[in-house]
Amino acid sequence: MRRFLIAGNWKMNCGPYDAAELLEGLKEKKADVDENVDVLVCPPFVSIGMAVNYLHDTDIQVGAQNLHFEENGAYTGEVSGSMIAESGCNYVIIGHSERRQYFGETDTTVNKRSHKALEHKLAPIICVGESLDQRKSDEHFHLVKNQVTAALFDISEDDVLDVVIAYEPIWAIGTGETASPEQAQEMHEHIRKVIAELYSEDTAERINILYGGSMKPANAKELLSQPDVDGGLIGGASLDAASFSEIITIAEELS
C-alpha cells in the first residue's frame, strides 16, 4: 500500500531566520504525523541545516531542491549529492519545471542527477509535466511519457522503488489555475502505466506519484482522493504553516 507523501517546496524563499519562524509554526501544529503519511520540507540550501536541527525530534523529513551530477570539483555555486546527504536530507527535487525553464535542465541532466541522488541514498522527486500550449496541442501524454522514460533510463528496478514522480501541469503553477481532479488522475494513471511498461505492474503500483500544481487546503481533498494521486509537491501553501498543516491533516484523514 502506498503512503501519502506531502512535500513542501519552498523554492527561493526563507533564509535561516524566516525558516526558523516557519518551522516553529509547523512544529506547533504537526510535530507528530500519522504513520501512513510522510511529510517533507525542501528549503533552499542555506536553510537546510536549520531545518534538520529544528525537525530532528519530529516526524517531518528534510530534502533539497537540486543537486549536481558530479561528485565534487570546479563547479562554482553547485552542491553535490554527498553534501546534501551529509547535511541530513532524505530527498531531493530534480527537474522541476522552473529548473528546466530558467536553468537549462534537460531530460539528460535529470537522468544524471537522479542516478547521483540514488547513489547517495537520496530519494529523487523527479518532476515532469506539460505547458499550456503542449496540452492544447494534445502533446501532453506523449511529452510526459518521454520525460518519464528519459528520467528513468538505466535505473534498475530495485532502485526505481526509491524514486518519486511529481506531475506538474506547468500551466497550473503560480497561475492560480489547478488541474481538475479528473485531469490529475488521468495523467497520474498514464504515468503509472508508463512505469509499468518500463518495469512491471507491481513496481508501478509501489511508486508514489505526486500532484505538483497549486495544491492547497481548498482542493487537497478532491485531488488526494484520486486513486493514483499519492500526495502533493506543494509550493505556495507550504510557506504557510497553517495551510501546509491543513493539507497534511487532510492526507491523514484519507489514509
Side-chain angles (χ1 to χ4, degrees), residues 9 34 76 106 137 140 142 150 197 205 209 226 228 239 247:
N9 176 16
D34 185 278
T76 301
T106 67
S137 301
H140 48 301
H142 180 68
E197 292 172 4
E205 285 299 318
I209 305 174
Q226 301 305 309
D228 287 295
L239 297 174
I247 295 171

Side-chain angles (χ1 to χ4, degrees), residues 23 27 30-33 51-60:
L23 292 167
K27 279 181 68 171
K30 276 295 172 189
D32 299 315
V33 181
V52 170
N53 288 334
Y54 253 78
L55 300 174
H56 76 278
D57 58 347
T58 74
D59 294 329
I60 302 169

Side-chain angles (χ1 to χ4, degrees), residues 130-143:
E130 81 282 2
S131 68
L132 183 58
D133 287 344
Q134 288 163 335
R135 175 166 278 269
K136 286 183 173 179
S137 301
D138 204 27
E139 300 172 16
H140 48 301
F141 290 121
H142 180 68
L143 173 84

Side-chain angles (χ1 to χ4, degrees), residues 3-10 23 26-27 29-43 55 58-63 88 90-91 125 208 210 230-234 238 241 243-252:
R3 298 157 56 92
F4 280 123
L5 172 59
I6 304 299
N9 176 16
W10 292 5
L23 292 167
L26 189 56
K27 279 181 68 171
K29 296 176 181 299
K30 276 295 172 189
D32 299 315
V33 181
D34 185 278
E35 62 180 9
N36 292 317
V37 178
D38 291 319
V39 177
L40 168 70
V41 294
C42 297
L55 300 174
T58 74
D59 294 329
I60 302 169
Q61 302 180 74
V62 180
N90 304 107
Y91 291 81
I125 301 176
N208 275 36
L210 311 184
D230 305 317
L233 180 59
I234 297 155
S238 71
S243 294
F244 193 56
S245 298
E246 189 173 346
I247 295 171
I248 297 167
T249 298
I250 291 168
E252 290 174 321

